[in-house]
Amino acid sequence: FHPGGQLGERLLKPVGDLMVPLGRIQAQPDTASLQETVLSLCENGLGVACFVGSRGELLGIFTDGDLRRRFSGDGGLALTARATDFMNRHPTTISPQALGAEALKLMEEREVPLNVVPVVEEGRLLGVLRLHDILQREKGGHA
């Protein structure tokens, strides 16, 4: 946590510089089936599918944790179901201007810590920030 170290440097950067941009997220339309959403989770390797409206507004998210909880529940899931029936319509979000330190606090100081948080400005999805993006030790691009 030394301020001159790589982690200290990342904590002082704006979230917009640390996030995975929208182009790598493969945002889903609100008509996506659960099967399409699961495939997106597997393809992007981010652990989250983000649903956006026609103007790019964030409608909700569906995480790999949501998927595990749904399949381990009583009823299971039909892969033909609409994913938006199961998404979190009110996810915790963060601004691209927030600092990495603020994001780390937001993600870790919860009853259930977050591994990923959507980055939103004026309701529009810009990308996602993973805990890994804040804590990664090596310099360079996203893993």
Side-chain angles (χ1 to χ4, degrees):
F1 293 116
H2 184 276
Q6 288 178 12
L7 178 56
E9 183 180 307
R10 297 185 79 70
L11 292 175
L12 298 175
K13 284 188 174 185
V15 166
D17 291 348
L18 300 171
M19 72 179 184
V20 177
L22 185 57
R24 285 217 25 236
I25 297 172
Q26 301 169 348
Q28 301 288 304
D30 61 358
T31 56
S33 70
L34 185 57
Q35 182 176 12
E36 291 167 323
T37 302
V38 170
L39 290 173
S40 176
L41 283 173
C42 295
E43 288 172 4
N44 73 25
L46 299 174
V48 64
C50 296
F51 296 90
V52 295
S54 61
R55 294 180 309 278
E57 71 276 17
L58 179 66
L59 300 175
I61 66 171
F62 188 80
T63 67
D64 53 5
D66 293 328
L67 181 65
R68 285 190 302 275
R69 284 186 290 280
R70 294 289 176 181
F71 272 111
S72 65
D74 295 336
L77 288 176
L79 289 179
T80 55
R82 286 185 39 197
T84 54
D85 293 339
F86 306 105
M87 75 179 177
N88 177 352
R89 293 184 184 274
H90 304 286
T92 298
T93 63
I94 194 161
S95 162
Q97 290 82 26
L99 296 179
E102 295 172 67
L104 183 62
K105 182 177 181 178
L106 174 75
M107 296 169 85
E108 287 191 333
E109 293 183 2
R110 302 170 45 90
E111 186 174 321
V112 178
L114 299 172
N115 289 321
V116 65
V117 63
V119 180
V120 175
E121 188 168 52
E122 296 180 8
R124 293 193 54 167
L125 178 67
L126 301 179
V128 295
L129 180 70
R130 300 172 298 168
L131 189 59
H132 171 81
D133 297 325
I134 300 170
L135 300 178
Q136 74 180 11
R137 302 235 182 262
E138 62 278 346
K139 292 192 181 225
H142 299 286

